[in-house]
Amino acid sequence: MENKNLTEIERVTVSAGVLKKLLLLKDDSRVRQLAGEGIFIRASKGRYLLFESLQNYIKTLKVQKDIALAEDKNDINYKTERAKLEQIKRMQAELKLALMKGELHKSSDVEMVMTDMLARIRSRFLQMPSKMTPLLVEKETGEIKKMLSNEVRDILEELKEYDPKDFYSEDFVEIEE
């Protein structure tokens, strides 16, 4: 019995007006357009096979929905990637500005300045025995201690002489955008 009903419904034909109302289309010309695209199947002049036309229309809507979802997904990925890129550009600009203001220093500049400063301090400490020995001959313990302490303080004063400009390289490299 089901097979007979299915066969009967497959043979039902309807007018363009019925398809338009059933599928909430704007006008009969849209029905003719979909028929021209092979979605609605003509049975005769002005008549369409209802069952096959509905199946094709539903399949078409599904395909359109899948395409739209894929485009949305790609659009979201594009927007996300674009936002990440813009964030990176902003961070680069902030870093560049901090470098220019002397609020941030390149590791190579810091390494150069600190290596130079520590080398000078090391050298002065190593020279201290040669420099101080002649001055300390025949001095009393308290005076020797005082003179050595003063010399150590003088050497350590170099560590306090921090100037941000020492850490700023003149060969500043532009960050390309």
Side-chain angles (χ1 to χ4, degrees), residues 132 136 139-149:
M132 296 303 294
L136 299 175
K139 299 285 180 180
E140 301 225 357
T141 308
E143 196 173 342
I144 292 172
K145 183 178 176 184
K146 184 179 176 185
M147 290 175 74
L148 286 175
S149 294

Side-chain angles (χ1 to χ4, degrees), residues 32-120:
R32 287 189 298 278
Q33 179 187 6
L34 291 169
E37 293 172 11
I39 295 169
F40 292 160
I41 309 301
R42 282 194 175 99
S44 61
K45 185 173 179 169
R47 304 291 296 174
Y48 300 90
L49 292 174
L50 178 64
F51 186 77
E52 210 174 328
S53 295
L54 287 176
Q55 281 186 327
N56 289 345
Y57 188 70
I58 291 168
K59 286 176 189 175
T60 301
L61 292 177
K62 283 182 177 180
V63 167
Q64 288 173 348
K65 181 181 175 190
D66 290 345
I67 290 170
L69 286 173
E71 286 175 352
D72 284 348
K73 185 177 179 184
N74 288 338
D75 191 41
I76 289 169
N77 288 340
Y78 172 77
K79 286 178 182 175
T80 301
E81 294 303 314
R82 183 72 181 162
K84 286 178 184 178
L85 177 63
E86 290 303 317
Q87 184 178 17
I88 289 169
K89 285 181 179 180
R90 189 188 90 238
M91 288 171 61
Q92 284 179 330
E94 288 172 0
L95 290 173
K96 180 180 174 183
L97 180 62
L99 270 172
M100 293 169 72
K101 286 181 171 180
E103 297 169 352
L104 181 70
H105 309 295
K106 291 185 194 176
S107 60
S108 59
D109 293 339
V110 171
E111 181 181 1
M112 180 188 68
V113 170
M114 293 305 297
T115 300
D116 181 57
M117 182 185 295
L118 292 173
R120 283 185 287 136

